Amino acid sequence: MTMQSCCITGFEWSGTPTGKVGKLGKLDTYIAGDNPDAAILIVHDALGWTFPNGRLLADHFAKEANATVYFPDFFFGEVIEPSIIIEGKLDTFDFKGFLERQGRDVREPEIFAAAKELRQKYKKVGAVGYCYGGWAVFRLGAKEHSPPLVDCISTGHPSLLTTKDIDEVAVPVQVLSPEFDPIYTPELKAHTLATLPTLGIEFDYHYYPGVEHGAFVRGDDRKPGERKAMANAKNSVVSWFNLFLH
């Protein structure tokens, strides 16, 4: 399934990120936390590594899951202008060109390389991806990697995901699924629920009624229902990483 306008709509949250900017390999990276034994790799959504919401989530994961969290720039400097989100200028965004520059085949090698670098430095490594990052964490957890690149994965409203990605995951996987999602479709949800129990891995599937694609990283925290879903989703990811990284 490809990406649509819902992949770049949403709200900026209040709060100021408290991490630092450094490097993961050759990638500019937002880094939060300082645990020498456990790391979390966040694969960002279409809004990239500078979007404040992603950095705020990194801060939460670092503190609450006791890990060093890496949020790299996998788009190599391409940033979607905030006005596209805040002012709803979706007609100014070229999805076709974006996917040609930042598609799966283009960025998978860098994403694999980032996980491999973390695997060399840390005893335990987890990965979480939202929207665009959803396909990537499934690929990081694929059975083709021996030893595994990561110890567990989590994804919220994944984009560009295929049934093959689901079939081949080989590490514990958590899925955060909104009710309304034209990208993570009912068919893909059904395939997920039918397939994961057959793979011999632990899995955790959460369904959030009343919220839309993008809610877990770009939801409106002024709406009580969305705020609750965002908080619950964040807490679920924290619990998942605490289970497998410590």
Side-chain angles (χ1 to χ4, degrees):
M1 177 59 67
T2 186
M3 300 174 71
Q4 300 179 18
S5 61
C6 59
C7 299
I8 56 167
T9 56
F11 295 83
E12 287 192 82
W13 301 338
S14 59
T16 302
T18 58
K20 62 185 180 181
V21 173
K23 290 282 189 179
L24 180 59
K26 61 183 177 181
L27 302 175
D28 290 331
T29 303
Y30 178 81
I31 304 170
D34 58 0
N35 188 319
D37 296 322
I40 296 169
L41 176 66
I42 301 178
V43 186
H44 52 65
D45 66 3
L47 299 179
W49 79 297
T50 59
F51 192 53
N53 299 11
R55 295 186 174 195
L56 290 169
L57 278 174
D59 291 347
H60 276 289
F61 295 156
K63 181 179 179 180
E64 297 170 33
N66 187 23
T68 305
V69 181
Y70 293 81
F71 188 40
D73 176 17
F74 288 117
F75 291 164
F76 285 76
E78 181 170 4
V79 176
I80 297 175
E81 291 297 326
S83 63
I84 292 177
I85 308 160
I86 305 305
E87 301 175 23
K89 298 180 178 179
L90 302 182
D91 58 344
T92 66
F93 186 72
D94 175 16
F95 262 112
K96 181 179 179 182
F98 172 82
L99 289 176
E100 288 174 354
R101 296 186 298 274
Q102 311 293 358
R104 289 180 51 135
D105 292 344
V106 178
R107 294 304 173 212
E108 184 175 275
E110 284 89 1
I111 294 170
F112 282 2
K116 289 176 181 177
E117 182 157 344
L118 294 180
R119 177 56 90 193
Q120 293 175 355
K121 295 180 179 179
Y122 294 90
K123 296 178 181 178
K124 295 287 186 177
V125 180
V128 57
Y130 298 92
C131 188
Y132 176 92
W135 69 267
V137 296
F138 269 86
R139 291 290 297 131
L140 288 173
K143 62 184 179 182
E144 69 191 64
H145 305 297
S146 182
L149 295 181
V150 294
D151 295 289
C152 64
I153 63 173
S154 175
T155 183
H157 38 71
S159 298
L160 304 176
L161 187 68
T162 68
T163 56
K164 185 173 183 287
D165 296 331
I166 298 167
D167 294 344
E168 295 184 350
V169 68
V171 300
V173 54
Q174 179 185 66
V175 179
L176 312 174
S177 175
E179 179 178 4
F180 305 110
D181 196 334
I183 309 298
Y184 185 48
T185 62
E187 292 78 14
L188 279 173
K189 292 174 182 175
H191 188 81
T192 302
L193 290 169
T195 302
L196 293 183
T198 72
L199 300 180
I201 58 173
E202 292 187 58
F203 74 93
D204 185 34
Y205 186 95
H206 291 267
Y207 177 76
Y208 296 85
V211 297
E212 301 177 355
H213 180 92
F216 308 132
V217 73
R218 301 189 304 275
D220 186 353
D221 61 4
R222 298 166 296 184
K223 293 182 180 179
E226 285 195 17
R227 186 179 184 88
K228 180 180 179 181
M230 288 188 297
N232 288 345
K234 183 270 294 180
N235 290 338
S236 293
V237 177
V238 168
S239 296
W240 189 246
F241 285 138
N242 274 322
L243 181 63
F244 290 100
L245 299 185
H246 303 293

